[in-house]
Amino acid sequence: MALLEVNNVSKVFGGLSAVTNLKMKLGAGELVGLIGPNGAGKTTVFNLLTGVYQTTAGDIVFDGKNIAGKKPSAINQMGIARTFQNIRLFSDLSVLDNVRIAYHSHVAYKLPSAIFRFGSFYAEEEKMKARAIELLKIFHLDGKKDEIAKNLPYGEQRRLEIARALATEPKFLLLDEPAAGMNPQETAELMNLIRWIRDHFELTILLIEHDMSLVMGCCERIYVLEYGRVIAHGDPETVKHNPKVIEAYLGEEVTYA
Amino acid sequence: MKRLLTRQNMIIAAVLLAVYLIVQTLLSVGIISAFYETNLVLGGIGVIMAVSLNLITGFAGQFTLGHAGFMAIGAYFSAVMTVKWGMPFVLALLGGSCLAAVMGFLIGLPTLRLKGDYLAIATLGMGEVIRVVLLNTKYVGGAAGLFGIPRLTNWTWIFVSAVVTVLCIRNLLWSSYGRACISVREDEVAAEIMGVDITRYKVLAFVVGAFFAGLGGGLYAHYYYFLQPGGFGFMKSIEYLVMVVLGGMGSMTGSVMAALALTVINIFLQSYAAIRMILYALLLIVIMIFRPEGLMGSKEFSSAMFSRFERRGDRGSAGGQ
Ligand SMILES: Nc1ncnc2c1ncn2[C@@H]1O[C@H](COP(=O)(O)OP(=O)(O)O)[C@@H](O)[C@H]1O
Ligand SMILES: [Mg+2]
């Protein structure tokens, strides 16, 4: 059974159809890319998958359940986590707090035990902190756990966003241009890290990327979006040689580079 | 249990006990006059009101102008419980607080879709509605007021209530639930995406904040013998808001200090009641221009004082950075 099924989903903003008749199917453990020129509707797809927007038509089934009408927090608790194209950390809070907040839905003590400090409060807090630090280690951020998020360099903020998303313990991770603004070396490291995360946490990952080398080298399957429609779909080699894709996206990239 | 008995906590407990005993002694031998006792009571109520308002506005980021409305509910209901139903004081205080909390819940749910200015206006309206309803309720004396309330509030009640309020709200904030509230203030969309049900935590902040505002109201009612709806108007809400803003949105110790400082300042302004509110308004403007983050910003006076098991910069709450 597929982990995610997107059935003929459309999203219309006023007169503009940002996503039209989108069909997608992701199996558990896949690492899939979603590419397309600017304004193609990629981020809108993420917003639909995470409940930030409601679909205009069609339905999205995750893990056998329809996510229609569910709040983003409920969808997150079903197992979908994401990062944002424009970083949205809790920028005035510490690195550690950013990650701990994301653990909140898994907190094992109840409110009265927090207020009156009985039961498992202390043990659970310590456990939560230890897990947060463990996650930060993966992203080489444990040394900066007490720093305010907005004071981190850009690349580290991007990594912290991924760490925070993972703290919600998802089954399915959506990354919106995770390498944006990174240099080629950072991008290469991130590529490896993403694969490693997928294997280590046994996740399914859907990745939006503008950087072609990242998508080609990293993803097993790619959807290409243009004007809200899927114009090509398949493994990186097939997609790369699809004339529509070359015209719509790669051509642009090539002249760009 | 071991974690509660750290050296730090023992010191805090000892200091609190000493403060309590010293003031209690000074009161009983008459060194502290009735006039200053009134100010002790007002200071304690100020602490309760400011800290509970800071939970809603400073930590959860929900700007409200209706805190005096919750106080009014606690004041009136607890007074009704003692005067009309002959209930013991403790139960009356609890009853008033609970009814205020219920109101916080009822008002929280529909208004919490609103943000910023709109929420401020809605809560302002709520406070006025409560006042007008009281004004027109014969059972509680209407405009004339509710009389014959026994004076049950004393230094001991004030002290214990203020300490309990600060402790409960501090413990709430320095936990995962508190961090969830703070994440709502920081970025609602990001909080939702991270699995924090933002409506739930806004309502939580309102309910807990209203509960303690109700407690403040109950203590107030049982110190002044009578209640009038006019005492819980918009200006009262502003008074507590000034304390929160002055102390720093998101600083517990800031609120405590500002509440005490403003109570002392009020002693000197006693004979200039008319210009007091003008001075308050001026003070707000001056803070906004020169130190918009308040005296303490979101820092705490002493991290050692409030961090029970974690070290500086590593506390349960983000509010303490
Ligand atoms: N909230 C919104 N309201 C109106 N139009 C939107 C909104 N979000 C996205 N769009 C429009 O939808 C289209 C797709 O945007 P987006 O999904 O951000 O593209 P991409 O991420 O592929 O660059 C764009 O034309 C954008 O202007
Ligand atoms: Mg985008």
Side-chain angles (χ1 to χ4, degrees), chain A residues 13 16 18 37-44 53 85:
Chain A
F13 292 113
L16 174 97
N38 258 329
K42 305 179 297 292
T43 299
T44 303
Y53 297 154
Q85 184 176 348

Side-chain angles (χ1 to χ4, degrees), chain B:
Chain B
M1 204 59 212
K2 232 196 283 171
R3 272 154 171 144
L4 290 174
L5 294 177
T6 58
R7 223 184 83 193
Q8 211 175 72
N9 289 343
M10 310 270 257
I11 293 171
I12 297 170
V15 169
L16 287 174
L17 191 66
V19 169
Y20 168 74
L21 287 175
I22 290 167
V23 173
Q24 182 62 32
T25 313
L26 294 178
L27 278 167
S28 57
V29 298
I31 292 178
I32 296 180
S33 68
F35 172 71
Y36 288 105
E37 189 193 11
T38 303
N39 284 292
L40 274 174
V41 168
L42 284 177
I45 292 172
V47 167
I48 294 170
M49 295 301 292
V51 168
S52 57
L53 178 58
N54 204 349
L55 167 64
I56 302 172
T57 298
F59 288 95
Q62 305 305 303
F63 195 71
T64 164
L65 290 173
H67 213 49
F70 297 133
M71 188 187 189
I73 290 172
Y76 269 89
F77 192 63
S78 65
V80 165
M81 282 178 78
T82 52
V83 176
K84 309 224 175 207
W85 305 345
M87 302 270 212
F89 189 36
V90 197
L91 279 187
L93 284 180
L94 263 176
S97 303
C98 289
L99 191 65
V102 169
M103 207 51 141
F105 179 77
L106 292 179
I107 279 154
L109 273 185
T111 51
L112 290 180
R113 293 162 190 272
L114 306 172
K115 287 194 181 104
D117 305 348
Y118 299 102
L119 179 64
I121 291 166
T123 52
L124 174 73
M126 164 213 86
E128 288 304 290
V129 167
I130 291 173
R131 195 177 60 82
V132 171
V133 167
L134 289 171
L135 208 56
N136 292 293
T137 307
K138 283 268 148 34
Y139 187 65
V140 295
L146 183 61
F147 290 87
I149 306 168
R151 175 174 273 191
L152 299 168
T153 300
N154 56 23
W155 165 244
T156 306
W157 280 105
I158 285 290
F159 186 84
V160 171
S161 304
V163 169
V164 166
T165 303
V166 172
L167 254 181
C168 287
I169 293 180
R170 179 254 173 227
N171 284 355
L172 164 65
L173 285 169
W174 271 236
S175 79
S176 194
Y177 295 89
R179 290 192 290 268
C181 289
I182 292 165
S183 76
V184 173
R185 172 191 77 193
E186 288 294 307
D187 185 334
E188 292 195 1
V189 173
E192 266 283 334
I193 292 286
M194 293 306 134
V196 174
D197 182 345
I198 59 170
T199 313
R200 191 165 158 189
Y201 290 96
K202 286 180 188 178
V203 171
L204 174 69
F206 261 90
V207 167
V208 176
F211 179 91
F212 287 106
L215 176 64
L219 292 166
Y220 180 91
H222 291 85
Y223 191 77
Y224 282 104
Y225 304 110
F226 80 103
L227 287 173
Q228 270 182 323
F232 301 100
F234 167 62
M235 287 319 282
K236 195 90 180 168
S237 296
I238 293 290
E239 223 179 296
Y240 297 125
L241 189 64
V242 170
M243 291 177 182
V244 170
V245 173
L246 178 66
M249 300 244 203
S251 170
M252 297 268 295
T253 38
S255 287
V256 173
M257 289 191 292
L260 296 177
L262 283 177
T263 309
V264 172
I265 291 171
N266 277 337
I267 298 177
F268 296 107
L269 294 177
Q270 207 78 39
S271 31
Y272 312 100
I275 65 162
R276 212 185 78 194
M277 288 329 284
I278 298 174
L279 283 173
Y280 264 59
L282 279 177
L283 187 61
L284 258 185
I285 293 168
V286 171
I287 301 169
M288 283 306 153
I289 292 171
F290 294 104
R291 203 168 159 81
E293 72 274 29
L295 293 179
M296 300 290 293
S298 62
K299 295 192 180 61
E300 296 299 348
F301 174 59
S302 151
S303 69
M305 207 176 200
F306 279 91
S307 64
R308 180 151 292 163
F309 70 96
E310 288 169 306
R311 260 152 293 289
R312 186 174 176 68
D314 178 21
R315 281 174 295 172
S317 150
Q321 269 306 307

